[in-house]
Amino acid sequence: MLNGLPRFRLFIACICLCLSFGLPAHAEFGDSSLGWTQEQERAVAGYLQRRLQRQGNVINDVWLEYWLAERAERLRQTSTSSLGPVSVVLLRQKAFNAFALPGNVMGFNLGLWENARTEDEFTSVVAHEIAHLSLRHFNRLSDNNRQQAWLAISGALLGVALASMDTEIGGATLIGSQMGAAQQSLSFSRSMESEADRYATDMLRQAGYNPSAGAAVFARLQQSLGGRSGSDYWQTHPRAITRAAQLEALQGSATGATGQTSNQYDTLRWYINARYAADDDFAPDPAWQSLTATPDPLLPQQLLEDPDPNSLLGWIRFQTTADDSLTLERLSLLLTLFPDFDPAWYLSAEVTARSGGANACREALGALDRINGEYLDVFELRHRLSSECLQSREAEATAAWYWHRGEESRALSLLRRAIEQPGDASQLARLRAKVSDYERQLALLPS
């Protein structure tokens, strides 16, 4: 079974297991990440994100992805290492879990939003995963241990590792008959976790977050376990109660409340609770729900006094009785205040597209063109709209949608067929450039 799997999938599965089992290493902090170039890191990041998409376990939501990426970038900029840009994905699982992967990819379970009650608490988890990447923990693999990991996979695919339902924060874990063979490695994994906690504490302080918040998260996790513990020795990461005590010791004289709540974080939790976990009841109603607005101003004056794009977008989405024209006016005002706020541009495109106006399709495409980040929802909407009103770009838009949802072969086949069809020179040049780009990304993957 091992021989039938692509070599790169095996290598990535090996890396996932190595982070989980914490294999010892001879490399010291500061080595280049796995010997990859920046282009290779980006290619690996894209590959991993596409594999996650194919699993069907990713929540594709422009608003949540933007918020996560913004917090991750804020923390990354405080890192003292030469860490490149990071990518984030949000998984549907309700377990309290997060992980980091090669290529600077971080995954966060839906359950984190339920358990982290403040932005400081949630960001402490983000900081911990960035710390794993900044400290280059993937590098700490000797050739011998790497080979052992290859044998230990026993044909397990990347998706198995990433689909972990463990309730401890850390790398993805594969549980099976290999646990005994990994026995001698577990203590190093715990040391990596402790090292990441120390590094994350410094990042949180520099980014203006309360470093005490992390201890509160793990203390609450221990309560949720109902007293169940078990020995640290048999876990790839310290128990929640151990982790909380270590964080409290690290933070020492840190002062302040354990994470201050905010309208924007309450807004995101309310949105997630309503849209993705309606059967649960974990998010309080944001304070702005009681606010009303007259047509002039279009938005509540209280929110405009100290405007935050997330709170404003939440209030707009909460107004379920507003017609599309009023919603678009409100979004226009929001975008005047925050012209680079991708979630508002995406909602504007959605509302415009369904309005049915004479130029609605092209106006919606224009709104999508203002979005800076790469989101599967955007690729999907652009694919649909292009088929309606911009057929000259339909092949490109559809191929991009296929590609980013993990159907690389289908994307390349579509583009190659389109190149064989009659078309103007600029269109054919764009199609050929896209084929070259996709082929280059695949060729960059480590063998």
Side-chain angles (χ1 to χ4, degrees):
M1 185 174 181
L2 286 173
N3 294 332
L5 295 172
R7 292 172 66 191
F8 182 64
R9 286 191 184 181
L10 281 175
F11 176 71
I12 291 300
C14 153
I15 293 297
C16 291
L17 289 171
C18 290
L19 180 65
S20 300
F21 292 152
L23 298 176
H26 304 301
E28 297 296 332
F29 167 62
D31 290 353
S32 60
S33 179
L34 297 170
W36 296 343
T37 65
Q38 289 186 351
E39 282 188 308
Q40 282 180 307
E41 284 196 345
R42 287 193 292 270
V44 169
Y47 175 87
L48 288 171
Q49 289 175 292
R50 296 193 299 274
R51 297 284 70 72
L52 284 166
Q53 292 290 353
R54 290 200 68 167
Q55 280 187 279
N57 198 31
V58 176
I59 292 179
N60 291 295
D61 189 299
V62 176
W63 191 5
L64 302 183
E65 292 173 67
Y66 181 91
W67 189 92
L68 270 172
E70 191 177 58
R71 268 73 195 156
E73 177 61 18
R74 184 183 303 173
L75 289 164
R76 185 189 72 87
Q77 290 182 5
T78 70
S79 172
T80 56
S81 75
S82 56
L83 182 66
V86 297
S87 304
V88 297
V89 290
L90 181 61
L91 304 184
R92 294 185 182 276
Q93 296 163 357
K94 293 186 179 180
F96 186 72
N97 196 22
F99 56 83
L101 294 172
N104 298 342
V105 177
M106 299 186 298
F108 301 93
N109 278 11
L110 193 64
L112 288 172
W113 296 90
E114 180 171 353
N115 287 278
R117 297 176 183 173
T118 68
E119 183 174 334
D120 293 66
E121 291 181 2
F122 189 96
T123 309
S124 72
V125 178
V126 182
H128 179 85
E129 299 309 324
I130 290 181
H132 275 306
L133 300 172
S134 298
L135 293 167
R136 297 180 173 91
H137 281 159
F138 291 111
N139 240 41
R140 303 190 177 186
L141 310 171
S142 70
D143 290 339
N144 287 339
N145 285 320
R146 187 172 298 184
Q147 181 63 32
Q148 290 170 10
W150 277 57
L151 296 175
I153 319 172
S154 299
L157 292 172
L158 169 66
V160 176
L162 300 188
S164 167
M165 295 298 289
D166 290 344
T167 56
E168 293 282 353
I169 290 182
T173 304
L174 182 64
I175 298 175
S177 60
Q178 298 84 9
M179 184 60 80
Q183 177 176 337
Q184 299 301 318
S185 308
L186 296 176
S187 61
F188 185 77
S189 179
R190 292 194 294 272
S191 71
M192 284 201 302
E193 296 298 324
S194 297
E195 185 181 32
D197 281 338
R198 290 194 298 273
Y199 196 91
T201 297
D202 289 338
M203 283 196 296
L204 289 166
R205 282 197 183 100
Q206 292 187 45
Y209 289 103
N210 187 342
S212 300
V217 172
F218 287 103
R220 192 177 306 121
L221 175 59
Q222 183 61 33
Q223 291 177 351
S224 71
L225 294 175
R228 290 178 285 115
S229 57
S231 170
D232 276 6
Y233 186 74
W234 289 105
Q235 299 189 46
T236 57
H237 309 93
R239 289 178 295 152
I241 191 170
T242 306
R243 197 78 164 272
Q246 290 173 342
L247 283 168
E248 287 176 353
L250 276 175
Q251 287 135 18
S253 60
T255 59
T258 307
Q260 296 299 318
T261 188
S262 66
N263 264 336
Q264 61 174 284
Y265 188 72
D266 279 351
T267 296
L268 268 291
R269 290 187 84 213
W270 160 81
Y271 172 70
I272 290 171
N273 197 165
R275 183 162 186 175
Y276 299 108
D279 293 336
D280 300 329
D281 185 19
F282 61 83
D285 291 339
W288 48 251
Q289 285 197 5
S290 61
L291 301 179
T292 59
T294 59
D296 187 20
L298 294 170
L299 298 172
Q301 187 60 41
Q302 295 95 317
L303 292 182
L304 293 174
E305 290 172 359
D306 185 19
D308 163 69
N310 296 287
S311 299
L312 290 169
L313 183 61
W315 186 89
I316 291 171
R317 296 190 73 117
F318 184 67
Q319 311 307 307
T320 55
T321 59
D323 59 29
D324 286 347
S325 60
L326 180 56
T327 298
L328 288 172
E329 283 188 80
R330 287 168 169 164
L331 287 170
S332 179
L333 178 55
L334 168 55
L335 287 166
T336 299
L337 296 171
F338 301 96
D340 296 323
F341 190 47
D342 287 354
W345 282 115
Y346 179 72
L347 182 58
S348 180
E350 276 192 315
V351 175
T352 300
R354 75 180 182 224
S355 67
N359 298 314
C361 179
R362 288 185 176 271
E363 289 175 1
L365 283 171
L368 293 181
D369 289 340
R370 297 295 300 270
I371 293 176
N372 296 312
E374 291 191 341
Y375 312 92
L376 189 64
D377 280 351
V378 172
F379 289 116
E380 182 176 6
L381 184 55
R382 184 178 282 119
H383 144 72
R384 180 165 61 83
L385 293 173
S386 296
S387 67
E388 294 177 12
C389 63
L390 195 61
Q391 284 79 15
S392 62
R393 297 292 183 101
E394 182 180 0
E396 298 166 62
T398 304
W401 180 44
Y402 289 160
W403 175 267
H404 287 278
R405 71 181 191 179
E407 298 183 65
E408 293 97 332
S409 297
R410 190 176 182 185
L412 284 166
S413 295
L414 186 152
L415 289 171
R416 288 166 181 151
R417 288 197 306 271
I419 289 172
E420 296 173 356
Q421 302 302 315
D424 61 64
S426 62
Q427 180 185 13
L428 291 174
R430 290 195 309 271
L431 293 172
R432 292 191 182 100
K434 185 58 67 176
V435 169
S436 296
D437 177 43
Y438 288 167
E439 289 177 339
R440 176 174 173 75
Q441 290 186 49
L442 294 177
L444 282 167
L445 296 177
S447 58

